[in-house]
């Protein structure tokens, strides 16, 4: 039903009336709708449906453009299809952009049914096939003198040859319907993968740009200040790592992890400085994969590479807190300095919870909690656990005892 649109019952320029029928009900796929016992009018360009008397008066009705229709079927009614054809099934193409509002925004079906209470009029069915085959909307038309759909102005205009039509009934009809639904699904998936392919092509272009900028930095190393170099490298990390380390380039896992550790060390120095010298391993994994673009690594590869940071004399190392939390921390980021800065925040605020410290220091709640625990272990804070939660206070015993 998302191909239908609401419009006044007036003919377009070059559009002509063909046929009319009454007591028609509309189905959205196999689902019933509120549009029952209406009148349907076939033109060279559209199918109009309205309540009895609305279309001749030019009132608002439902309109379906014929260019949506790519297949027409009859569906037999009654038990074992003995009651004669009662419904016309119209298989529709995708909705075009810029369509007028209609009874539905989105429909799960790619077909609609017109159910005729008195059975399908053979002349109407034939005229519908001819109108779809003629494709009058693709041909240049002269302006019609009348745009009224009153009974006195309706003059039939025959068209060309019919499209292929099939009688659909029983198990064969059900199987054919399932096949058509699968075909429509496959088409939607193909379109989605085409968009994904375009995205991957754009990602490769961005990595190429990062390589170009990196080479220019190396060529003009003497002309660019250290601050500019750090800023350029941060831009490159946003675009993607040039030449990311991959497992295929090494003969053994140990060499791969060693190369990956060196790359992590190079790219995470500036990031750790901006984040206060420490970052959770989960955040590191997200940052690294974001910079690598399409060459993603697993959490296990990251963990194994970080374990080798000390062996390559990197300015950072992997640390595991007593709680089990793993972080990447700069070697210059000492616990004493962390405890001292956290103790100053405690004195300024009176007390701190992990959530409150995370908001003040702009770190995750996990790291904030570990900072408070570290401050407590070094004797600069006291912990209070109650039904209200976990809170830390300045250690007054150091000053007042």
């Amino acid at each position: 039903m998302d191909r239908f649109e609401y419009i006044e019952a007036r003919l377009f320029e070059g559009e002509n009336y063909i046929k009319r029928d009454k007591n028609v009900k509309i189905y959205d796929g196999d689902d019933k709708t509120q549009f029952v016992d209406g009148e349907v009018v076939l033109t060279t360009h559209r199918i109009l449906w309205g309540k009895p008397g609305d279309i001749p008066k030019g009132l608002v009705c439902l309109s379906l453009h014929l260019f949506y229709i790519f297949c027409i079927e009859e569906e037999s009614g009654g038990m074992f299809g003995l009651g004669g054809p009662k419904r016309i099934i119209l298989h529709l193409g995708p909705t075009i952009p810029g369509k007028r509002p209609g009874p539905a925004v989105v429909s799960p079906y790619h077909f609609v049914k017109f159910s005729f209470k008195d059975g399908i009029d053979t002349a109407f069915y034939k005229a519908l096939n001819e109108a779809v085959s003629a494709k009058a909307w693709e041909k240049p038309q002269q302006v019609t003198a009348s745009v009224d759909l009153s009974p006195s102005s309706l003059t039939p205009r025959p068209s060309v040859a019919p499209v292929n039509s099939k009688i659909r009934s029983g198990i064969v009809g059900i199987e054919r319907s399932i096949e058509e639904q699968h075909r429509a699904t496959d088409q939607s998936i193909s379109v989605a993968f085409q968009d994904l392919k375009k995205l991957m092509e754009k990602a490769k272009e961005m990595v190429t740009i990062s390589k170009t900028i990196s080479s220019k930095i190396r060529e003009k190393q003497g002309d660019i200040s250290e601050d500019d170099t750090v800023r350029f490298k941060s831009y490159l990390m946003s675009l993607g790592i040039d030449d990311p380390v991959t497992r295929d380039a090494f003969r053994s896992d140990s060499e791969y992890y060693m190369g990956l550790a060196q790359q992590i060390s190079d790219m995470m120095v500036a990031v750790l400085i901006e984040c206060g010298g420490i970052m959770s391993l989960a955040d590191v994994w997200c940052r690294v994969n974001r910079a690598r673009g399409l060459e993603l690594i697993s959490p296990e590869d990251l963990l194994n590479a970080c374990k080798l940071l000390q062996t390559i004399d990197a300015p950072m190392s992997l640390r595991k807190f007593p709680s089990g939390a793993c972080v990447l921390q700069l070697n210059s980021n000492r616990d004493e300095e962390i405890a001292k800065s956290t103790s100053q925040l405690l004195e300024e605020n009176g007390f701190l919870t992990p959530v409150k410290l995370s908001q003040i220091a702009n770190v995750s709640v996990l790291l904030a909690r570990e900072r408070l625990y570290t401050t407590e272990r070094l004797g600069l804070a006291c912990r209070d656990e109650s039904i209200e939660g976990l809170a830390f206070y300045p250690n007054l015993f150091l000053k007042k005892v």
Side-chain angles (χ1 to χ4, degrees):
M1 292 295 293
D2 56 352
R3 280 75 162 180
F4 283 87
E5 55 188 41
Y6 290 119
I7 192 171
E8 291 184 352
R10 303 289 182 187
L11 290 176
F12 296 146
E13 294 181 356
E15 184 180 18
N16 292 310
Y17 165 83
I18 297 178
K19 192 70 178 173
R20 174 197 299 269
D21 210 336
K22 58 183 180 179
N23 295 328
V24 180
K25 181 192 302 183
I26 302 178
Y27 286 77
D28 183 14
D30 295 317
D31 299 338
K32 293 182 179 180
T33 67
Q34 60 180 336
F35 306 106
V36 297
D37 297 332
E39 183 180 30
V40 64
V41 171
L42 174 66
T43 73
T44 53
H45 293 62
R46 296 176 295 165
I47 297 177
L48 303 177
W49 184 97
K51 290 292 184 181
D54 285 357
I55 295 179
K57 296 176 182 177
L59 302 179
V60 174
C61 65
L62 289 180
S63 170
L64 175 66
H65 287 275
L66 297 184
F67 57 70
Y68 281 119
I69 303 172
F70 64 86
C71 183
I72 304 174
E73 296 182 84
E74 288 181 345
E75 185 175 60
S76 300
M79 185 67 68
F80 304 111
L82 300 177
K86 293 283 186 178
R87 297 171 184 168
I88 295 177
I89 303 175
L90 305 179
H91 295 271
L92 309 175
T95 306
I96 61 172
K99 184 185 76 67
R100 292 185 179 91
V105 178
V106 178
S107 173
Y109 299 102
H110 297 283
F111 65 95
V112 294
K113 298 180 182 179
F114 285 89
S115 178
F116 297 79
K117 186 175 182 180
D118 302 325
I120 298 176
D121 182 2
T122 306
F124 184 91
Y125 182 70
K126 182 179 179 182
L128 176 60
N129 279 296
E130 292 175 348
V132 173
S133 280
K135 297 183 179 180
W137 54 89
E138 295 181 354
K139 302 174 183 178
Q141 299 284 349
Q142 296 179 353
V143 179
T144 54
S146 172
V147 291
D148 190 7
L149 285 175
S150 60
S152 59
S153 64
L154 299 177
T155 54
R157 179 183 176 182
S159 270
V160 206
V163 295
N164 294 333
S165 60
K166 301 169 275 186
I167 299 295
R168 168 173 142 157
S169 60
I171 297 176
V172 176
I174 295 174
E175 290 178 347
R176 189 180 300 124
S177 176
I178 294 174
E179 266 181 36
E180 289 161 357
Q181 292 177 6
H182 287 172
R183 195 178 303 114
T185 303
D186 291 341
Q187 184 179 2
S188 300
I189 293 174
S190 299
V191 173
F193 274 107
Q194 287 176 1
D195 294 338
L196 181 60
K197 185 177 179 182
K198 293 179 181 178
L199 178 62
M200 293 174 67
E201 291 174 356
K202 288 294 182 183
K204 291 180 180 178
E205 292 177 7
M206 298 303 286
V207 173
T208 303
I209 293 173
S210 71
K211 290 182 181 180
T212 305
I213 298 176
S214 179
S215 63
K216 289 182 179 180
I217 290 177
R218 285 195 294 267
E219 291 172 1
K220 299 182 180 181
Q221 191 67 37
D223 301 334
I224 301 177
S225 65
E226 186 176 350
D227 293 339
D228 291 337
T229 304
V230 172
R231 191 179 300 111
F232 270 124
K233 287 184 176 179
S234 66
Y235 294 158
L236 290 180
M237 191 191 67
S238 299
L239 293 175
I241 299 175
D242 54 336
D243 300 327
V245 174
T246 58
R247 192 183 296 269
D248 298 337
F250 297 91
R251 291 176 295 179
S252 63
D253 287 348
S254 59
E255 293 181 1
Y256 165 66
Y257 291 135
M258 195 72 72
L260 185 59
Q262 184 62 53
Q263 191 174 76
I264 292 172
S265 174
D266 295 338
M267 69 160 290
M268 290 302 298
V269 173
V271 178
L272 289 177
I273 292 174
E274 293 177 1
C275 297
I278 189 171
M279 180 180 287
S280 67
L281 208 59
D283 292 336
V284 172
W285 181 72
C286 293
R287 288 290 189 110
V288 171
N289 275 331
R290 175 187 171 190
R292 288 175 66 91
L294 302 177
E295 300 293 342
L296 306 182
I297 61 173
S298 66
E300 182 182 3
D301 288 347
L302 176 68
L303 180 61
N304 291 331
C306 289
K307 290 178 180 177
L308 299 176
L309 288 172
Q310 291 182 342
T311 63
I312 62 173
D313 296 329
M316 66 198 69
S317 60
L318 177 67
R319 179 177 179 181
K320 188 174 183 180
F321 289 104
S323 62
C326 292
V327 298
L328 199 61
Q329 182 174 339
L330 290 175
N331 297 334
S332 59
N333 201 31
R334 300 169 54 192
D335 286 351
E336 291 78 8
E337 296 177 357
I338 294 175
K340 185 177 179 180
S341 62
T342 307
S343 176
Q344 292 176 354
L345 292 174
L346 283 171
E347 293 178 359
E348 293 173 3
N349 294 273
F351 75 96
L352 287 174
T353 63
V355 175
K356 189 173 181 180
L357 178 59
S358 69
Q359 296 172 349
I360 295 174
N362 196 23
V363 296
S364 65
V365 177
L366 173 66
L367 294 181
R369 185 170 64 247
E370 295 300 337
R371 283 184 61 171
L372 291 169
Y373 279 137
T374 301
T375 306
E376 181 196 19
R377 282 197 300 272
L378 295 179
L380 299 179
C382 295
R383 183 188 351 162
D384 178 30
E385 293 188 49
S386 64
I387 59 174
E388 295 180 356
L390 179 64
F392 290 81
Y393 293 84
N395 187 358
L396 300 180
F397 293 102
L398 296 176
K399 298 181 179 180
K400 297 188 178 182
V401 175

